[in-house]
């Protein structure tokens, strides 16, 4: 009799566990563009360091950040496990808790771009939709000695390495050179390899690249046609086309 009761209880427990697992499976959102491992819903923190991000509004960019390889963060570490915890907290609550804002501090987050200060550096990501309904992705890890740019294409949740900086921006250093000059400009052209160029990704579908302070019109106009370029993204070619090249005023240091 005791054996029979024990058997019945065991069957009841197994039945309950099966029902619970079935319920969890049905509640999984299989429509997500990324099949993120389901986690328990994050409890809302009482921390004052809540950073609001609308999950639905920014889902495309959030998904792409999960796809990035660790090499997209060359000067700091934001591994996939940490990014998934961050992602799942936003998915559950439309915010994440920033326990160390002096290290990782969000400056902006919009559907097509995001930027974070990392100690004394800055990391940003921008996405550009193509005519094929894919996305060109540019990450920029900016530290004291320059920019570390990475280029990717994402299509159907598959990320692949894209073209290099020279190709996607039509070799901007060559674009600055005068094709015909009245003097020998070899030295000036060589100096294009020395300045730190700044990349401004703040405008949607536009990028401005400008040289550091010493490439001034006063000293270089005989050999260069400008020190700054504005590019427009071409959704068909998946590259950037030159809108204009001009002299941007610089202050000598």
């Amino acid at each position: 009799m005791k054996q029979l009761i024990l058997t019945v209880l065991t069957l009841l427990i197994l039945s309950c566990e099966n029902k619970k697992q079935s319920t969890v499976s049905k509640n999984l959102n299989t429509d997500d563009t990324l099949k993120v491992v389901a986690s328990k819903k994050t409890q809302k923190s009482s921390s004052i360091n809540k950073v609001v991000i609308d999950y639905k509004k920014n889902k495309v960019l959030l998904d792409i950040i999960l796809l990035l390889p660790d090499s997209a963060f060359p000067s700091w570490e934001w591994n996939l496990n940490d990014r998934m915890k961050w992602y799942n907290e936003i998915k559950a609550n439309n915010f994440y808790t920033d326990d160390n804002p002096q290290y990782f501090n969000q400056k902006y987050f919009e559907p097509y771009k995001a930027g974070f200060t990392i100690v004394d550096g800055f990391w940003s990501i921008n996405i550009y939709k193509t005519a094929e309904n894919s996305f060109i992705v540019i990450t920029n890890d900016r530290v004291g000695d320059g920019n570390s740019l990475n280029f990717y294409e994402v299509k159907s949740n598959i990320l692949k390495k894209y073209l290099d900086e020279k190709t996607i921006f039509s070799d901007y250093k060559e674009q600055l050179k005068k094709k015909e000059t009245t003097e020998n400009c070899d030295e000036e052209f060589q100096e294009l390899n020395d300045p730190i160029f700044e990349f401004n990704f703040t405008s949607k579908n536009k990028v401005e690249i400008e040289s550091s302070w010493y490439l001034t019109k006063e000293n270089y106009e005989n050999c260069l046609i400008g020190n700054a370029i504005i590019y427009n993204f071409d959704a068909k070619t998946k590259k950037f086309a030159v809108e204009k090249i001009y002299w941007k005023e610089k202050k000598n240091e």
Side-chain angles (χ1 to χ4, degrees):
M1 187 65 178
K2 289 183 178 179
Q3 184 65 34
L4 178 59
I5 293 172
L6 182 60
T7 302
V8 172
L9 287 174
T10 302
L11 291 173
L12 286 172
I13 291 170
L14 289 173
S15 176
C16 289
E17 288 298 322
N18 288 335
K19 287 181 180 179
K20 184 188 294 184
Q21 186 62 41
S22 176
T23 301
V24 171
S25 298
K26 289 178 181 177
N27 286 336
L28 287 176
N29 186 356
T30 55
D31 293 332
D32 282 352
T33 56
L34 286 174
K35 293 180 177 62
V36 180
V37 177
S39 66
K40 292 183 179 179
K41 188 170 182 178
T42 307
Q43 296 295 320
K44 291 191 175 182
S45 171
S46 60
S47 170
I48 61 171
N49 298 322
K50 291 180 182 178
V51 183
V52 175
I53 295 180
D54 187 313
Y55 175 76
K56 289 183 178 179
K57 182 179 178 181
N58 298 287
K59 187 177 186 304
V60 171
L61 184 54
L62 288 165
D63 287 354
I64 288 174
I65 289 175
L66 276 193
L67 289 173
L68 295 175
D70 290 348
S71 57
F73 315 97
S75 72
W76 58 296
E77 183 179 353
W78 198 14
N79 60 47
L80 179 57
N81 188 50
D82 289 341
R83 277 179 276 147
M84 285 188 67
K85 291 178 181 176
W86 172 80
Y87 178 100
N88 285 333
E89 186 176 8
I90 295 168
K91 182 178 179 181
N93 305 306
N94 285 316
F95 72 80
Y96 70 91
T97 305
D98 186 359
D99 292 324
N100 191 0
Q102 293 185 348
Y103 173 75
F104 177 84
N105 186 23
Q106 179 181 302
K107 301 301 291 183
Y108 56 85
F109 204 106
E110 299 176 24
Y112 65 93
K113 66 179 181 178
F116 302 86
T117 55
I118 315 297
V119 191
D120 57 351
F122 190 80
W123 184 88
S124 66
I125 180 171
N126 286 68
I127 62 175
Y128 305 88
K129 193 170 184 178
T130 73
E132 297 179 358
N133 204 31
S134 64
F135 292 92
I136 298 302
V137 181
I138 302 178
T139 65
N140 182 18
D141 194 6
R142 191 175 75 216
V143 291
D145 57 353
N147 301 271
S148 179
L149 297 172
N150 284 291
F151 302 88
Y152 309 95
E153 183 175 7
V154 173
K155 189 170 186 178
S156 301
N157 298 322
I158 298 174
L159 179 142
K160 62 180 181 179
K161 194 75 174 179
Y162 197 61
L163 304 172
D164 60 19
E165 177 182 310
K166 284 187 177 181
T167 305
I168 201 167
F169 290 124
S170 61
D171 198 346
Y172 59 89
K173 292 180 182 179
E174 287 297 319
Q175 297 286 341
L176 295 178
K177 297 178 183 179
K178 275 190 174 180
K179 303 301 183 283
E180 296 181 5
T181 62
T182 58
E183 58 185 87
N184 186 344
C185 292
D186 288 347
E187 183 176 345
E188 283 79 2
F189 290 166
Q190 186 64 35
E191 287 179 356
L192 286 174
N193 297 319
D194 296 329
I196 296 174
F197 283 83
E198 293 295 329
F199 294 77
N200 186 338
F201 295 101
T202 55
S203 297
K204 189 174 183 179
N205 291 331
K206 286 183 182 286
V207 175
E208 183 180 44
I209 304 175
E210 63 172 288
S211 71
S212 55
W213 62 271
Y214 71 81
L215 285 187
T216 61
K217 181 177 181 180
E218 179 184 4
N219 295 323
Y220 288 86
E221 67 177 335
N222 290 332
C223 297
L224 305 180
I225 58 177
N227 60 6
I229 308 177
I230 293 178
Y231 284 94
N232 279 318
F233 181 68
D234 188 327
K236 292 182 179 179
T237 65
K238 303 180 184 180
K239 298 178 185 178
F240 288 81
V242 175
E243 177 181 300
K244 72 172 182 176
I245 301 174
Y246 68 106
W247 288 101
K248 194 168 186 175
E249 186 178 353
K250 302 288 183 182
K251 294 181 180 180
N252 290 328
E253 295 185 356

